[in-house]
Amino acid sequence: MQQPDGLIRTFSRSMMAKLCAALMLAILGTANPANGESFFLYTTNLPPFNTESDTGQVSGISVDVLVEIMAMAGRSVHPEAITIFPLARALKITEEEQGSILFSMARTPERESLFKWVGPIYNLKLGLVSKKARHIVIKDPKDLAGY
């Protein structure tokens, strides 16, 4: 799909707010991987932070951080133990399944009390880009509605 002339991508204010705190590591339940309890690892497809190869291997910046954090806790994590789901499904499973670890998701006020948060592992800043010749002026988020 071709973007509008010169405009790379437009994000709504709510999307920007959700993504600015993106890529937090969240742990739900009382499972403590450092104590040898079992746990389940979930993430979403969000390149370059998390992605799945054609062979099913999960990799990315967030996966590398998770592996390091777990190593510091005395646990080894192998990328093949990570399951990639759409975010809504991963959130639902993590809320319902004790010992679930969902990493690389935005920390929002609505989610704050639902999880035990570890992080941030990355702060994401978003911006808008347009060709200078288009003379686009954005002074307020409402100004984005025309694009």
Side-chain angles (χ1 to χ4, degrees), residues 22-96:
L23 304 169
M24 303 298 289
L25 182 68
I27 302 174
L28 176 75
T30 58
N32 184 347
N35 291 338
E37 297 177 30
S38 63
F39 55 94
F40 306 95
L41 300 166
Y42 303 104
T43 193
T44 61
N45 189 33
L46 184 64
F49 305 103
N50 317 303
T51 189
E52 189 172 21
S53 71
D54 293 339
T55 62
Q57 179 77 21
V58 179
S59 62
I61 298 165
S62 297
V63 174
D64 296 340
V65 171
L66 175 72
V67 169
E68 288 298 317
I69 289 171
M70 296 303 274
M72 290 168 41
R75 296 294 297 264
S76 63
V77 171
H78 302 285
E80 58 269 9
I82 300 169
T83 304
I84 290 186
F85 282 127
L87 182 59
R89 186 181 314 167
L91 283 167
K92 183 174 178 14
I93 291 169
T94 304
E95 288 182 61
E96 295 173 353

